[in-house]
Amino acid sequence: MKNVVEFKGVTKHFKDFSLEDVHLQIRQGCVTGFIGANGAGKSTTMKLMMNLLKADAGDINVFGLDYASNEKEIKERMGFVYDSNVFYESLNLKDIRRIVAPAYKNWNDKQFFDYIKKFELPLNKGMKTFSKGMQMKASLAMALSHDAEFIMMDEPTAGLDPVFRRELLDILQEIMEDGRRTLFFSTHITSDLERIADYITFIQKGKILFNDSIEDVQNRYALVKGSMDVINRDVEKMFIKIERSSYGFTALTNDVAGVKAVLGDRVTMEPATVEDIMFYAKGAEKQNV
Ligand SMILES: Nc1ncnc2c1ncn2[C@@H]1O[C@H](COP(=O)(O)OP(=O)(O)OP(=O)(O)O)[C@@H](O)[C@H]1O
């Protein structure tokens, strides 16, 4: 499988935050969800991906090309989809089309008008009248109209009502069907991942903790429950984090086979959700999550 984006040893330092030695691959034809707590470094990573920020060290390739000599080609082939209006508020979609279309070699007018109709967007109303969801759809219509192969979205479903959210996720699933596009989106809504993502990239404090298929993530982690008397130093080493209560403990493990072998039926194990993994990984006792 080819990678649309590759980060090799990418580092970016701010005064109080660093992205450290990031290695990341985004697989072609797949949907990758990008998760991590507030301030973990998601927007910084996406800005580096779009060359809006320059890395202090490391290499970033998009479509196998580097920004230094191929910025125009990369930007032609990628689309960043956002939910805020970057145009004058009084402009409508017809005006915006007139401004945006000439910037792209591959602009397809028919596609644009088809998507505007499909997304039920008004052509003649000022962008200031658009809700967050409508802005998102308008931005997506534009990315699809210049035939972006790689679509990046920053929290596409944040602030959308549940019906609209589902509709947008269905649209995203539909545009992925022909296998030509790659989608990378950040989110705090973990149910979105379970609905549409093939891969999950998890960032914590500027470090990528994993970048794996949903299936691998689900197979690797489990929640373990039991009474405190099974806990000792060796058992603790198999857990990423342990939550203790008067009833016993609940812990996240990434060593399912080890826990089974050592503790057997003295504990119960259940699948960990992405939300469980994020919760337990925060302040983890174990180094390798
Ligand atoms: N230009 C900048 N100068 C200094 N610090 C910055 C800059 N941009 C981001 N940061 C810091 O880098 C850290 C990571 O920010 P980033 O926006 O990448 O996080 P995020 O994961 O996208 O968070 P959220 O989920 O809240 O949007 C934060 O502590 C932020 O304050």
Side-chain angles (χ1 to χ4, degrees):
M1 195 182 289
K2 276 210 268 182
N3 296 321
V4 165
V5 176
E6 273 197 61
F7 276 38
K8 285 188 197 141
V10 173
T11 297
K12 176 79 195 170
H13 297 290
F14 292 129
K15 188 165 166 279
D16 299 312
F17 174 84
S18 294
L19 268 191
E20 285 293 350
D21 192 28
V22 168
H23 292 262
L24 176 66
Q25 298 86 34
I26 300 179
R27 285 113 178 142
Q28 189 176 34
C30 296
V31 178
T32 301
F34 193 24
I35 56 168
N38 289 124
K42 298 182 296 299
S43 299
T44 305
T45 305
M46 292 174 106
K47 282 181 189 158
L48 287 163
M49 229 174 256
M50 289 186 286
N51 204 30
L52 296 176
L53 276 177
K54 299 264 184 250
D56 298 329
D59 291 320
I60 298 176
N61 283 298
V62 184
F63 309 116
L65 306 168
D66 64 1
Y67 273 107
S69 33
N70 303 285
E71 173 136 18
K72 194 162 171 14
E73 176 174 351
I74 295 173
K75 295 251 160 113
E76 280 271 348
R77 294 169 65 186
M78 81 194 296
F80 181 58
V81 175
Y82 41 82
D83 65 4
S84 52
N85 180 25
V86 293
F87 297 97
Y88 288 115
E89 289 202 325
S90 56
L91 294 182
N92 59 34
L93 274 175
K94 263 190 180 160
D95 304 324
I96 291 172
R97 178 197 138 265
R98 222 176 316 120
I99 298 165
V100 172
Y104 291 102
K105 254 195 335 232
N106 287 337
W107 182 268
N108 182 331
D109 249 350
K110 179 174 179 322
Q111 199 117 299
F112 176 76
F113 288 109
D114 284 352
Y115 275 114
I116 295 304
K117 200 166 159 203
K118 185 176 163 60
F119 295 170
E120 298 173 333
L121 294 168
L123 272 169
N124 295 313
K125 281 194 179 165
M127 293 298 280
K128 62 175 172 243
T129 66
F130 278 32
S131 67
K132 254 172 114 67
M134 288 164 83
Q135 299 264 15
M136 185 62 79
K137 280 183 174 175
S139 179
L140 182 59
M142 279 185 268
L144 295 169
S145 303
H146 72 81
D147 208 19
E149 295 158 54
F150 175 47
I151 295 178
M152 209 186 320
M153 304 176 91
D154 198 4
E155 296 190 38
T157 54
L160 301 185
D161 72 53
V163 176
F164 211 121
R165 193 163 89 222
R166 199 145 164 179
E167 195 189 319
L168 184 69
L169 291 174
D170 287 347
I171 289 171
L172 294 178
Q173 218 156 20
E174 210 181 302
I175 64 166
M176 292 300 294
E177 263 163 21
D178 62 12
R180 289 190 312 121
R181 299 189 183 93
T182 302
L183 177 64
F184 184 74
F185 72 104
S186 65
T187 187
H188 288 293
I189 304 171
T190 50
S191 60
D192 288 356
L193 299 172
E194 278 139 22
R195 189 169 277 272
I196 66 163
D198 307 299
Y199 286 86
I200 303 181
T201 304
F202 181 18
I203 188 168
Q204 182 163 276
K205 294 184 187 157
K207 293 204 173 97
I208 303 289
L209 292 192
F210 59 74
N211 176 31
D212 295 313
S213 71
I214 292 246
E215 218 183 346
D216 284 349
V217 172
Q218 280 165 347
N219 288 336
R220 184 167 352 123
Y221 294 94
L223 280 186
V224 184
K225 293 181 180 175
S227 64
M228 287 304 296
D229 58 357
V230 304
I231 300 282
N232 58 42
R233 282 225 174 135
D234 287 335
V235 168
E236 271 179 5
K237 284 185 196 149
M238 295 190 289
F239 295 142
I240 290 161
K241 187 165 191 233
I242 305 172
E243 287 277 304
R244 296 166 168 89
S245 78
S246 49
Y247 303 108
F249 74 92
T250 305
L252 181 74
T253 186
N254 59 358
D255 183 5
V256 174
V259 173
K260 269 189 193 150
V262 174
L263 297 175
D265 54 12
R266 294 162 72 201
V267 292
T268 59
M269 266 203 261
E270 56 189 65
T273 63
V274 174
E275 211 166 289
D276 292 328
I277 298 168
M278 288 180 77
F279 173 76
Y280 284 91
K282 195 162 182 257
E285 284 133 34
K286 202 171 161 176
Q287 285 296 307
N288 298 317
V289 175

